[in-house]
Amino acid sequence: MQKGCFLSVVVPMYNEEEVIEVTYGRLRSVLDKLGETYEIVFVNDGSRDRTADIVRSLCAEDRRVKLVEFSRNFGHQIAVTAGMDHASGRTVVLIDADLQDPPELIADMVAKWREGYDVVYGRRIERKGESLFKKMTAAAFYRLLRSMTSVNIPVDTGDFRLMDRKVCDALTSMRERSRFIRGMVSWAGFKQTSVDYVRDERFAGETKYPLKKMIRLSLDAMTSFSTKPLKIASVLGFVLSAVGFVYLFVVLYQRLFTDTTQQGWTSMIAISLLFHGITLMLLGVLGEYIGRTYEEAKGRPLYLVAEAVNFKEETEVSREKEAEHAVGK
Ligand code: UDP
Ligand code: MG
């Protein structure tokens, strides 16, 4: 692996054939201006379109472009992790492939890093071109998560951020499967600061985060950073038992000392359904944690790499070529 490059940019991609060349162009013009050594690590998360081919041809032209090809789709957070595993820079930037996070901001992030910050995250002060539903659920999610966890996860930030090598190493040493990277960065600590930006519309294509994946990510975030949902069960249990107990006395009193006895099968059924519902829901909460514990216990690798392009050093490649030559002769 190339050692000593200044900046690594990690770009996860899932079916991004329409944007990837433009993304490369914009990244390149920003990075060239920095006047430092850099690499761009593209991680292909099992795309079914031409994404990998496009990146491969970029790799052939520019040795600073690298490709990690997954054996299948493992998900965004895992793709980012693989990129960090393969990055060699003093600093590492995580950025989406769709240009919703402006690459131009990287220069500001580097400036902050030079001031002595270890993590510089982008804070979205406005999100363009996203549906009201997405904006509202995102806003609600960040705030709910904040109220549930003891880790101080900043609201309205995505994964777009610059990290120092030591933070990147800290993160890659955490091999948990339910990954919520922005939470893990907050957990890691170090000196953190933010730069504000307006989140643009997707350059082309459509979101690769359908509702299902968003729910999964939210559940991962909740379960990996909070055990409060588990405590809700016991609190609710205590409260309901107390109410039941008091009510028992009310009913007994009515039966013994008054003429009005409570009647009604309908209300019985309604209450019974309600409480069965609550019980099953809490079992589901338990299940979320148990399922994740099981996944961790299996200890499988986070991802499988089918191919890694341009990760060998220049000298190694030329030596290999020489060897091939020699064999050819
Ligand atoms: N992505 C990925 N694997 C997935 C889904 C998404 O690598 O399974 C990548 C995608 O290519 C993009 C980034 O993650 O670079 C963010 O996805 P997207 O822009 O679709 O999410 P949104 O911005 O709509 O939340
Ligand atoms: Mg996007």
Side-chain angles (χ1 to χ4, degrees):
M1 206 180 283
Q2 184 189 339
K3 280 277 171 262
C5 103
F6 173 75
L7 182 85
S8 302
V9 180
V10 170
V11 190
M13 310 174 297
Y14 180 57
N15 296 342
E16 302 283 9
E17 61 180 5
E18 289 156 276
V19 302
I20 212 65
E21 250 161 316
V22 184
T23 306
Y24 166 71
R26 279 225 356 228
L27 275 174
R28 218 187 130 160
S29 65
V30 170
L31 297 174
D32 282 342
K33 264 188 237 144
L34 279 180
E36 299 276 2
T37 52
Y38 65 85
E39 63 177 2
I40 306 177
V41 182
F42 286 106
V43 183
N44 180 23
D45 187 12
S47 301
R48 282 186 294 267
D49 62 1
R50 291 174 40 249
T51 305
D53 298 335
I54 298 171
V55 176
R56 255 189 222 110
S57 62
L58 293 175
C59 285
E61 285 163 25
D62 185 348
R63 285 201 53 82
R64 293 168 302 187
V65 176
K66 301 176 179 189
L67 170 67
V68 180
E69 169 89 8
F70 276 0
S71 60
R72 63 169 171 86
N73 179 254
F74 281 92
H76 173 220
Q77 302 284 301
I78 303 278
V80 171
T81 307
M84 291 200 287
D85 287 340
H86 285 79
S88 65
R90 281 271 289 125
T91 54
V92 179
V93 169
L94 314 180
I95 191 167
D96 283 355
D98 58 359
L99 293 174
Q100 280 195 290
D101 311 320
E104 290 69 29
L105 212 68
I106 294 176
D108 299 341
M109 291 179 165
V110 170
K112 287 271 184 199
W113 177 80
R114 287 195 208 283
E115 281 173 30
Y117 290 101
D118 298 310
V119 177
V120 188
Y121 53 87
R123 197 172 55 196
R124 305 156 173 175
I125 50 171
E126 195 191 324
R127 302 166 74 117
K128 283 192 196 160
E130 286 179 338
S131 66
L132 189 65
F133 177 73
K134 177 136 190 172
K135 281 183 199 165
M136 279 172 55
T137 45
F141 164 70
Y142 285 124
R143 278 147 193 88
L144 178 67
L145 185 65
R146 201 184 169 82
S147 67
M148 294 279 256
T149 58
S150 48
V151 180
N152 192 6
I153 301 170
V155 296
D156 301 331
T157 61
D159 287 325
F160 183 32
R161 59 190 61 220
L162 178 144
M163 289 177 289
D164 186 79
R165 168 88 288 173
K166 57 180 180 257
V167 183
C168 182
D169 285 345
L171 252 68
T172 50
S173 73
M174 305 179 204
R175 301 316 281 180
E176 62 210 63
R177 309 192 63 78
S178 308
R179 298 182 88 75
F180 184 63
I181 289 172
R182 49 208 103 147
M184 291 161 71
V185 173
S186 301
W187 181 91
F190 295 104
K191 272 183 82 179
Q192 310 211 357
T193 188
S194 63
V195 286
D196 290 347
Y197 73 107
V198 174
R199 188 159 212 237
D200 279 330
E201 281 179 48
R202 208 170 217 289
F203 176 74
E206 55 194 30
T207 178
K208 308 298 179 310
Y209 255 98
L211 189 61
K212 209 173 110 196
K213 280 190 185 172
M214 266 170 31
I215 292 174
R216 185 113 290 263
L217 182 69
S218 322
L219 285 176
D220 277 346
M222 285 295 175
T223 50
S224 20
F225 287 95
S226 171
T227 48
K228 272 195 191 156
L230 288 174
K231 287 175 193 134
I232 292 174
S234 25
V235 172
L236 214 61
F238 274 116
V239 171
L240 289 178
S241 319
V243 171
F245 199 65
V246 170
Y247 191 61
L248 182 71
F249 281 101
V250 173
V251 176
L252 273 178
Y253 176 83
Q254 282 179 337
R255 179 75 184 81
L256 296 175
F257 303 108
T258 66
D259 302 331
T260 52
T261 312
Q262 287 287 341
Q263 290 186 341
W265 187 82
T266 326
S267 53
M268 272 283 296
I269 287 297
I271 289 176
S272 154
L273 279 180
L274 175 73
F275 289 119
H276 282 310
I278 292 177
T279 314
L280 285 177
M281 199 187 74
L282 294 175
L283 273 178
V285 171
L286 267 182
E288 288 294 332
Y289 284 89
I290 294 175
R292 280 175 173 74
T293 314
Y294 174 57
E295 287 294 331
E296 294 293 350
K298 281 195 281 195
R300 291 189 184 165
L302 287 178
Y303 56 85
L304 296 175
V305 175
E307 193 189 353
V309 186
N310 272 358
F311 281 99
K312 282 183 187 157
E313 282 206 46
E314 207 72 69
T315 48
E316 257 177 76
V317 174
S318 50
R319 238 180 273 134
E320 252 172 41
K321 282 217 177 101
E322 269 166 35
E324 270 170 33
H325 234 67
V327 172
K329 276 181 208 160

